Every structure is written in structure tokens, then in C-alpha cells.
Amino acid sequence: MSETVQRLDPLDRRPLSDKTCLITGSSRGIGRDMAFEFARCGADVVVNYRSSDEKAQEVTDRIRANDETAIAVGADVSDPDDVARMADEVHDELGSVDVLVNNAGITVDRKFEDMTYEDWNRVIEVNLNGTFNCTKAFYDDIKTADQGRLINISSVVGQQGNYGQANYATSKGGLIAFTRTIALELARHGSTANCVAPGFTETDMLEKVPDRVREQIREDIPLDRFADTEDIVGMVRFLAGDYADYMTGQVIGINGGMEW
Ligand code: NAD
């Protein structure tokens, strides 16, 4: 067995114990369950939220109740000044960040002929510019970390498009191109950037979709169910850990077989 393989311990129950991980939009949904899982794996966790102060506090309380470290930091990812303030707060409290997960995202769905500039812009501002702002604020941390990680949450919709989601699909497709480019620039520093592209996942975001449309979507999923948050979180945890050292610039689809 080579030295590299010996370094990895399949029985390590706290594989992220020396990492500080920031997850944007983690007061609910996929991000919240990521925060719980990262903390369970021993990471110090930063729970970012925009307005749900109480919900973010509930997440950090639950993590701390298990003797793990978590702080909640409010910031609208679409506002560069807010993100810069968040970075200062995180650096003061926990030092530099090893893993940044750009998870915050919104939808404003409307077929293209009815989509306004505001509908378009708000989604691009949060999903795409928000990822730029946070990556910018923590880029030096990730670059200089021992195996820093940038993980962007895209979507199957960014790979194949979706009726009524020109703004969202464009933002999520943009994340794929962004990830591939940053992966090239980070590689010389030994850090990685990857994208996870979930399919339709049971969270508040999917709740907004009318039942009739949900049923149509489900019929197109070969595995015949929506994802649950655990389906997504497991892959993000893998990408954050040592087993993913040699993976970069990848887009990993978790979509029940919708897209190859
Ligand atoms: P969600 O709506 O439950 O969670 C989104 C989170 O982002 C919330 O906590 C929200 O407060 C936060 N957020 C929104 N705007 C923000 C801002 N400006 N600043 C900071 N935080 C902000 O949805 P989810 O399903 O958990 O989504 C998580 C990610 O997964 C999103 O990027 C979403 O696009 C992506 N995704 C979701 C699905 C799905 O079907 N649920 C599928 C593919 C991809």
C-alpha cells in the first residue's frame, strides 16, 4: 500500500476535524443538513444566512449541543460589502476557511416572454454574483489552505435547461463554467474546485412548484423519486474530505438518472 493510501483512514469518523467550513444559505434545506453533517465529521462550521436569524441560531445550537463548533453569520451573498463584513467576522472568530460551499440560491420562475429584467437580475445576483462575492472574499483562504476546497451547488437545470427557468438555468450553468475555470487557477496551489449538480430535491425550493408540475417532473426521473437532502450532502462531504484530493473541475450530477 502506498504512503498516500495509508494516509486515508476509512474508519476515521471525524474526517473533517481539522477544517473550518463555511456554507452559504445554511439555515434551512440542503445547506442546513450539510452544516449538521460537516459538524458531525468534526469540522468547525460557519452557518451563513440572509434573514432567518432564529433558524440559523437553531442550527448552531444543535451543533453546539453535540460539543462541536459552529457560528451563525448573517450576510446577503449578493451584497459584496455584506460578504466582506462576514469574512472579517469569520476570520476574527474562527480564522481562515478551508472549505467554502456556495449553496445559497433562489428561484424566480416565469416563462421567458413574461420574465422581467428584475426577475432575471435578482436570480443572477444571488446565484451567480453571490458565488463570485463569496469566492472572492475567501479565495486567499482556500488558495493557501492545506488542500482548500471550493464546492459550488449548481443544478441539473444548469445542465439541461428547464421551462420557466431561463434566469435560474443560466445562473447554474454559469456556475459550472466558473468552477472549471477556478479549478484551473487553484490547481497550482494544491486546492480544488468542484460542482455538485442536484436534481429536484425535497426542500422549500421544490415546495414552491405546483403539484401538477411536480408530478410531471417526477415522471421524468428514472429512479422515480425526488432527492432528499442526504443524497446531496453525502457527495459534498466527500468532496470536502481527503478522498477527493485528486478531483477538481468536476460536475457531479445527483439527479436520479435525469442527466448523464
Ligand atoms: P432552500 O430555499 O431551502 O435554501 C436556500 C437557502 O439559501 C436558504 O437558506 C436561503 O435563505 C438562502 N439564501 C437565499 N438567498 C440568499 C442570499 N441572498 N444570501 C444568503 N443566503 C441566501 O433551497 P435548497 O433546495 O436547500 O437549495 C440549496 C441550493 O441547492 C440552492 O443553490 C439551489 O439552487 C440548489 N438546488 C436545489 C434543488 C432543489 O430541487 N431543491 C435542485 C438543484 C439545486
Side-chain angles (χ1 to χ4, degrees):
M1 193 182 271
S2 78
E3 241 176 68
T4 321
V5 175
Q6 278 172 356
R7 183 167 52 77
L8 303 172
D9 176 2
L11 298 179
D12 184 0
R13 297 176 67 83
R14 293 168 58 79
L16 303 177
S17 58
D18 53 350
K19 313 275 186 204
T20 299
C21 306
L22 188 157
I23 304 155
T24 65
S26 49
S27 62
R28 67 168 199 241
I30 298 171
R32 178 189 56 188
D33 287 356
M34 243 181 250
F36 290 144
E37 180 60 10
F38 277 23
R40 195 186 66 77
C41 290
D44 292 352
V45 176
V46 182
V47 174
N48 157 257
Y49 64 96
R50 183 190 42 189
S51 53
S52 328
D53 202 340
E54 242 175 65
K55 279 189 171 175
Q57 212 56 56
E58 279 169 26
V59 177
T60 55
D61 285 351
R62 197 167 130 185
I63 291 174
R64 288 183 192 148
N66 290 325
D67 288 331
E68 304 294 352
T69 302
I71 60 169
V73 185
D76 179 341
V77 297
S78 70
D79 177 344
D81 294 335
D82 228 14
V83 171
R85 186 194 38 75
M86 169 166 75
D88 288 344
E89 213 173 310
V90 171
H91 290 144
D92 283 350
E93 291 205 39
L94 294 179
S96 107
V97 163
D98 303 282
V99 180
L100 168 65
V101 185
N102 284 307
N103 167 76
I106 59 165
T107 52
V108 182
D109 297 349
R110 234 177 287 285
K111 64 181 177 179
F112 182 70
E113 63 197 63
D114 298 330
M115 190 172 280
T116 64
Y117 180 74
E118 286 70 32
D119 299 333
W120 170 268
N121 221 25
R122 186 61 196 145
V123 171
I124 299 292
E125 272 172 2
V126 174
N127 299 4
L128 199 50
N129 297 356
T131 295
F132 172 86
N133 294 335
C134 294
T135 305
K136 200 73 175 154
F138 293 98
Y139 190 76
D140 279 347
D141 290 15
I142 292 164
K143 193 176 86 176
T144 55
D146 180 24
Q147 289 150 356
R149 300 278 196 259
L150 175 67
I151 303 167
N152 294 323
I153 307 301
S154 176
S155 167
V156 68
V157 169
Q159 296 172 300
Q160 63 180 30
N162 196 28
Y163 189 95
Q165 291 197 306
N167 48 5
Y168 183 77
T170 302
S171 71
K172 294 297 184 179
L175 285 184
I176 293 172
F178 177 72
T179 307
R180 291 203 156 125
T181 303
I182 301 297
L184 291 174
E185 298 189 14
L186 277 177
R188 69 192 59 189
H189 305 286
S191 295
T192 66
N194 290 290
C195 227
V196 171
F200 295 87
T201 308
E202 293 281 11
T203 67
D204 290 358
M205 190 173 271
L206 192 59
E207 280 290 303
K208 283 167 57 183
V209 176
D211 284 350
R212 185 181 48 82
V213 180
R214 276 173 64 105
E215 199 40 47
Q216 278 167 2
I217 295 169
R218 210 178 50 77
E219 280 169 12
D220 285 340
I221 303 174
L223 282 177
D224 197 28
R225 69 170 176 87
F226 296 122
D228 55 42
T229 55
E230 282 181 13
D231 292 317
I232 314 305
V233 165
M235 176 51 66
V236 179
R237 179 190 65 185
F238 172 80
L239 289 172
D242 289 350
Y243 274 109
D245 274 359
Y246 201 56
M247 277 180 77
T248 198
Q250 301 304 303
V251 182
I252 298 113
I254 308 172
N255 51 47
M258 282 182 85
E259 224 275 344
W260 301 95

